[in-house]
Amino acid sequence: MRYGYFDDQNREYVITQPDTPLPWINYLGCQAYFGIISNTAGGYSFYRDARLRRITRGRYNNVPLDEGGRYIYLRDDESGEYWSPSWMPTCRDLEQYTCRHGMGYTTIGSKYRGISASTRYFVPLDETLEIWQLTLRNDRLTPAAISAFSLVEFCLWDAQDDSTNFQRNLSIGQVEIDDEVIYHKTEYRERRDHFAWFACSDPLAGFDTQREAFLGPWRGWDKPAAVERGNASNSHAHGWSPIGSHHVKLVLQPGETHQIVFVLGYHENAKDQKFDPPDSQIVNKKTVKPVIARYRNKANVDAAFEKLRAYWDGLLGVYQATTPDIHTDRMVNVWNAYQCMATFNMSRSASFYESGIGRGLGFRDSNQDLLGFVQMVPERARERILDLAATQLPTGGAYHQYQPLTKKGNNDIGGNFNDDPHWLIIGVAAYLKETGDWSILGEPVEFDNQPGSAQPLYEHLRRSFHYTLERLGPHGLPLIGRADWNDCLNLNCFSDTPGQSFQTTTNKEGKVAESVFIAGLFVLAAKEIAAIAQRRGLAEEAKNYLASGARMEETVRQHGWDGEWFIRAYDDSSQKIGSKENAEGKIFIETQGFCVLAGIGLEDGRARQALDSVRKHLATPHGIVLQQPAYSRYYLNLGEISSYPPGYKENAGIFCHNNPWVIIAEAMAGDGDNAHDYYSRINPSARERISDVHRCEPYVYAQMIAGRDAPTHGEAKNSWLTGTAAWNYYAITQWILGIRPEYDGLRIAPVVPERWQGFEAVRKFRGVTYRITVRRAGKGNGVSLTVDGKPIEGAVVPPPAAGKTEVTVEVRLG
Ligand code: GLC
Ligand code: GLC
């Protein structure tokens, strides 16, 4: 069953009923001001950091799930009847409800008793504000007297404190009202230099800023007293819960349309210019007023929207494909790329499943995210790499997370996730291949943000690599530390205390437990760093990296192979994990995918065998589960993985992040049918028709789909912020469609299904547009390339002569 449809032309997903199985959300903003918005206008906004600069309030795990947001109430001033054109929170029976989630904007429209209302929400480029553009139309045969009320609930900035520290917070709320603009200035009197403001294009009939005055005692968002009465009370919040609500009254003639613009913004003043007059407590509005004036003007609002559209056209234009499969096209051309930008911006911080409080930007996560967005915003990728590297420790290890506002490593979460450092090598390699910007390697970058510790970025890569060499276990495999990619395989944790965090609790020294996954990652990193060293003229160093990689590969063959698949790890007593010797957790996906992806076993048949074992033991119609059999009880020596009920999360859920490793491995092994088959099983668009089972948004990937051991097999959770986005994008664009940036040019080596007769693609790469046509001439994956009419040797299209910006490539496949 579906709840909407893809409007491919307009790059929108159109939801046609408000009561989707879960809130289906979108993101507003792509630079510094961000918001999440659901299909019923729920969600919140923040400036840069979802925890430390929360502008509006979100209540987690609420009932209903999605309550509180960017609400508009409409009231028929003759009958007194009122409704929310976004359905929530009044939940009237709307006619013609549609929510269009697009690229950086959401438009929610509906009709009720002859009044059509449509609100477009977006954040203009280069501004720290959001716009709600409400268009009303009277479709009745008689004039309509209508009241419109806007509503936001302000957060007192620190979202964590806001939801817990009531003894203080209920007394500190402060606002100002000036020229009909509502200013939220809690804590501005002391150490904050920032405030929020909420303005309206139209003259007001009234306003409210105190929540209780607007709602009335003992009432919820569904029946605010001010709306019911048809009059705001011009309340002025002191303490309690500041809100912003404008009241606009209008009369619409039959057929008449009217637009009202509401603008919610964030603004900072210089420390010494906070007040006006300087010795007062009044917010200095000199620099914010021009901004407010700009967007009270509707022509500027439309122009800002067009600019946003053009921005996204530009980003998505970097890679466009036309294939025989609509689901592939949709994800490649629009939604997967779009999701990659969201994971770049948000890492794992703010979604309907990530509170915005708990997690900053992950070191491992953000480096992997690079694989999905570097081609769209290379200059921002550069900045991200340097920020990440600056949180690396002198040992080569890394803080697991950092806060986006301070860009400092997060001490609460700490480090010792022994896979972390290698992702920096993988991320930097992807950046170099895409951009050819070798200057980044010479950039001085501090360790742990310590002044005076700066070394060229290249030195950071070296230390990343050596980190593992200095931490090998009894079999010569890398020690796992706190965990590797699988945060939940905690082999040194031995937690027996309720509530203890598996992620942060004190661990054993850990001189025994080893990770075959890190071994695979190390082998890949060795190849990448060797290629980089080689190109920097460090031939000897390159040779050493390759030798270390080859040694590790040999170690994996000896101690990481179980006969039919790769072992996952060795525990603290050197017992195998992910082996036929185990009663549960006999085979894991991560090492099958990643070891092959690193090239292990491609020559001796083990890769094929491992992948066949995946098909036999782990593949389900809804995707590939993480391991089998699921852990049926808690194992002290395994940690969090066995804390989850079977079929969920890392305990045999379909953890979508690692499915693309198998997809790439299948492509490397030359099987385009298998690769695309696995790709399609978790492709959200391909799952749209079972939206009642899948339940999450059909336009973006979710972190997890419940595995076959769960009673809810096929149900997705934790959509949007997941490494799944980058890895699937990378898998389909670079390995299945096979258009792959390399140091010396663009490789074109598709491994597509046998039945595909071909496809077309446009790829912008280092300032050149490549128009690529692939035609199948026979079975198999062999290619012959014709570039601008001339046949070339091999599969790498070299850069064209200087000044040439368009290249045509014809590919004969098979
Ligand atoms: C989550 C984390 C990621 C980790 C994965 C597996 O997605 O963000 O860092 O690798 O879970 O545990
Ligand atoms: C839990 C989750 C895992 C996530 C981690 C982040 O362990 O199961 O997916 O990576 O929390 O802290």
Side-chain angles (χ1 to χ4, degrees):
M1 177 187 170
R2 293 179 166 87
Y3 297 84
Y5 60 92
F6 285 90
D7 179 343
D8 295 318
Q9 201 67 36
N10 287 308
R11 295 176 165 157
E12 291 174 336
Y13 191 80
V14 188
I15 300 164
T16 49
Q17 72 184 70
D19 51 340
T20 44
L22 291 163
W24 283 6
I25 74 162
N26 192 13
Y27 284 89
L28 306 176
C30 48
Q31 293 160 321
Y33 185 106
F34 297 104
I36 59 181
I37 182 161
S38 74
N39 56 310
T40 60
Y44 57 83
S45 300
F46 59 93
Y47 172 74
R48 285 196 195 277
D49 190 311
R51 170 166 173 182
L52 300 175
R53 289 284 192 284
R54 187 73 67 94
I55 297 165
T56 57
R57 198 167 264 169
R59 285 191 183 71
Y60 317 103
N61 215 353
N62 211 349
V63 275
L65 202 53
D66 173 22
E67 194 175 32
R70 301 172 181 82
Y71 289 150
I72 287 170
Y73 299 87
L74 297 177
R75 178 178 188 275
D76 183 325
D77 283 336
E78 263 155 45
S79 67
E81 207 185 357
Y82 63 93
W83 70 101
S84 310
S86 60
W87 192 61
M88 277 292 281
T90 61
C91 300
R92 303 278 189 270
D93 267 330
L94 301 174
E95 301 152 43
Q96 299 174 14
Y97 161 92
T98 54
C99 166
R100 292 181 166 266
H101 283 318
M103 304 290 103
Y105 68 91
T106 287
T107 306
I108 305 176
S110 63
K111 191 164 163 175
Y112 190 73
R113 302 255 196 274
I115 304 296
S116 296
S118 167
T119 315
R120 184 162 74 184
Y121 300 88
F122 71 100
V123 174
L125 290 173
D126 306 319
E127 299 282 12
T128 58
L129 54 88
E130 65 183 67
I131 286 173
W132 315 357
Q133 214 177 348
L134 166 67
T135 307
L136 292 168
R137 195 181 64 226
N138 179 8
D139 291 334
R140 298 175 184 169
L141 299 171
T142 51
I146 301 289
S147 274
F149 295 82
S150 62
L151 186 270
V152 292
E153 185 182 21
F154 291 110
C155 178
L156 309 188
W157 301 115
D158 180 333
Q160 161 96 333
D161 192 77
D162 181 71
S163 54
T164 47
N165 189 8
F166 308 116
Q167 59 80 24
R168 169 179 165 88
N169 290 341
L170 297 179
S171 297
I172 62 172
Q174 287 194 303
V175 296
E176 270 178 40
I177 297 101
D178 178 348
D179 187 24
E180 302 199 325
V181 179
I182 295 163
Y183 293 87
H184 173 230
K185 61 165 193 176
T186 298
E187 290 189 344
Y188 188 78
R189 66 195 302 284
E190 30 133 351
R191 291 154 296 174
R192 293 189 186 277
D193 312 326
H194 43 266
F195 56 89
W197 53 271
F198 193 31
C200 173
S201 59
D202 283 38
L204 302 188
F207 63 86
D208 269 302
T209 65
Q210 184 61 281
R211 190 177 72 198
E212 201 183 16
F214 178 73
L215 292 180
W218 294 100
R219 282 165 175 255
W221 302 116
D222 57 332
K223 44 177 181 157
V227 179
E228 196 172 281
R229 271 194 323 262
N231 268 315
S233 57
N234 298 347
S235 58
H236 200 120
H238 291 275
W240 298 111
S241 305
I243 59 152
S245 175
H246 309 103
H247 176 199
V248 175
K249 267 176 180 278
L250 59 155
V251 176
L252 291 176
Q253 296 307 315
E256 188 184 346
T257 294
H258 182 79
Q259 198 175 88
I260 307 173
V261 177
F262 300 101
V263 192
L264 174 66
Y266 169 93
H267 197 76
E268 285 175 3
N269 275 337
K271 237 185 207 341
D272 56 355
Q273 313 217 343
K274 283 173 62 169
F275 302 106
D276 180 24
D279 55 357
S280 76
Q281 287 291 297
I282 301 168
V283 173
N284 178 353
K285 307 184 182 75
K286 282 203 186 77
T287 54
V288 76
K289 280 202 165 163
V291 184
I292 297 175
R294 192 176 319 144
Y295 291 103
R296 274 175 153 175
N297 176 334
K298 293 168 197 170
N300 291 337
V301 170
D302 286 331
F305 184 74
E306 288 317 315
K307 235 174 98 183
L308 183 68
R309 244 199 211 294
Y311 170 78
W312 279 104
D313 286 350
L315 293 187
L316 300 181
V318 172
Y319 197 129
Q320 289 288 302
T322 313
T323 77
D325 177 42
I326 178 73
H327 306 300
T328 300
D329 291 3
R330 245 174 219 157
M331 294 313 288
V332 168
N333 297 341
V334 186
W335 293 99
N336 197 174
Y338 182 62
Q339 187 179 3
C340 287
M341 286 301 292
T343 57
F344 159 56
N345 284 319
M346 303 285 132
S347 186
R348 309 296 172 263
S349 66
S351 72
F352 253 86
Y353 309 85
E354 301 284 6
S355 67
I357 290 176
R359 300 221 254 165
L361 269 71
F363 191 88
R364 141 190 337 128
D365 293 336
S366 292
N367 273 303
Q368 291 171 78
D369 290 347
L370 275 162
L371 297 174
F373 74 80
V374 61
Q375 74 289 355
M376 289 186 278
V377 285
E379 54 312 317
R380 295 178 76 191
R382 189 180 209 274
E383 182 188 349
R384 175 61 56 81
I385 288 172
L386 298 176
D387 287 347
L388 283 165
T391 68
Q392 192 177 24
L393 300 165
T395 56
Y399 284 103
H400 200 44
Q401 293 172 7
Y402 77 96
Q403 286 307 124
L405 197 67
T406 60
K407 297 190 172 178
K408 297 262 158 65
N410 186 340
N411 247 328
D412 302 345
I413 313 290
N416 295 333
F417 294 78
N418 280 354
D419 63 317
D420 269 339
H422 293 293
W423 296 111
L424 183 65
I425 300 176
I426 307 292
V428 170
Y431 173 79
L432 292 173
K433 289 176 193 169
E434 180 66 38
T435 63
D437 166 27
W438 291 85
S439 75
I440 194 174
L441 295 176
E443 283 288 335
V445 185
E446 290 167 352
F447 285 95
D448 193 10
N449 293 108
Q450 291 308 310
S453 66
Q455 294 277 345
L457 177 66
Y458 183 69
E459 176 60 24
H460 286 253
L461 304 190
R462 275 192 181 132
R463 293 203 196 173
S464 289
F465 191 79
H466 285 286
Y467 181 85
T468 291
L469 285 180
E470 288 151 17
R471 287 168 182 77
L472 297 178
H475 297 91
L477 292 162
L479 291 173
I480 196 166
R482 201 174 267 291
D484 59 22
W485 171 86
N486 191 332
D487 273 338
C488 299
L489 194 59
N490 314 121
L491 305 183
N492 292 308
C493 188
F494 298 92
S495 174
D496 57 6
T497 308
Q500 221 168 38
S501 160
F502 290 98
Q503 309 282 308
T504 58
T505 192
T506 312
N507 269 12
K508 274 183 74 161
E509 255 297 284
K511 292 271 176 357
V512 180
E514 298 165 295
S515 161
V516 181
F517 173 80
I518 300 180
L521 178 59
F522 178 88
V523 171
L524 181 65
K527 292 180 182 168
E528 298 287 17
I529 194 172
I532 293 170
Q534 188 69 40
R535 282 179 170 71
R536 293 204 99 203
L538 305 169
E540 199 53 30
E541 197 175 314
K543 232 169 71 196
N544 290 339
Y545 292 137
L546 288 178
S548 301
R551 264 197 308 280
M552 187 62 79
E553 207 169 321
E554 196 40 46
T555 309
V556 171
R557 262 191 266 276
Q558 264 183 32
H559 301 292
W561 182 251
D562 201 49
E564 289 173 72
W565 57 77
F566 293 100
I567 292 170
R568 179 61 179 82
Y570 287 90
D571 73 7
D572 184 56
S573 22
S574 253
Q575 296 301 305
K576 290 176 193 163
I577 296 172
S579 154
K580 55 182 176 304
E581 294 167 18
N582 300 116
E584 300 185 323
K586 286 175 190 289
I587 170 169
F588 281 65
I589 188 174
E590 297 103 307
T591 38
Q592 319 318 321
F594 221 90
C595 288
V596 178
L597 193 155
I600 307 173
L602 281 172
E603 261 135 49
D604 63 9
R606 292 186 206 207
R608 190 64 264 155
Q609 220 177 340
L611 293 171
D612 288 346
S613 297
V614 167
R615 183 159 284 260
K616 184 160 159 210
H617 300 288
L618 301 178
T620 82
H622 296 290
I624 309 167
V625 299
L626 196 142
Q627 98 275 13
Q628 284 287 286
Y631 294 115
S632 60
R633 62 175 181 87
Y634 179 58
Y635 292 82
L636 191 62
N637 63 324
L638 299 180
E640 185 166 7
I641 189 168
S642 59
S643 76
Y644 288 113
Y648 293 123
K649 296 278 285 183
E650 283 89 338
N651 187 13
I654 295 155
F655 212 88
C656 299
H657 184 147
N658 52 34
N659 277 227
W661 299 346
V662 172
I663 295 170
I664 297 169
E666 285 285 4
M668 289 179 114
D671 197 321
D673 284 320
N674 278 350
H676 196 265
D677 170 23
Y678 289 140
Y679 171 76
S680 301
R681 294 186 196 197
I682 60 166
N683 179 320
S685 163
R687 297 174 62 76
E688 186 199 18
R689 66 192 160 76
I690 51 161
S691 286
D692 47 336
V693 176
H694 184 79
R695 302 187 82 228
C696 276
E697 296 92 330
Y699 41 91
V700 289
Y701 288 97
Q703 181 200 59
M704 186 207 56
I705 298 172
R708 63 157 80 107
D709 301 285
T712 54
H713 187 29
E715 180 189 56
K717 281 190 194 132
N718 203 357
S719 55
W720 279 99
L721 302 185
T722 157
T724 312
W727 277 104
N728 273 290
Y729 186 81
Y730 178 69
I732 184 73
T733 58
Q734 299 203 25
W735 293 93
I736 296 182
L737 301 182
I739 304 173
R740 197 151 66 240
E742 289 190 354
Y743 294 113
D744 304 319
L746 198 59
R747 181 178 293 274
I748 307 186
V751 185
V752 295
E754 194 90 26
R755 64 181 184 283
W756 282 23
Q757 289 311 306
F759 65 92
E760 283 162 25
V762 179
R763 174 66 153 95
K764 296 195 176 139
F765 175 57
R766 301 193 196 169
V768 178
T769 303
Y770 294 83
R771 297 186 189 285
I772 303 159
T773 312
V774 178
R775 290 277 160 263
R776 191 177 277 296
K779 287 183 193 299
N781 308 308
V783 289
S784 22
L785 267 53
T786 308
V787 177
D788 285 332
K790 294 199 191 78
I792 64 160
E793 282 289 311
V796 180
V797 185
K804 193 165 160 49
T805 55
E806 294 257 341
V807 171
T808 309
V809 188
E810 273 145 45
V811 183
R812 229 184 116 216
L813 180 66

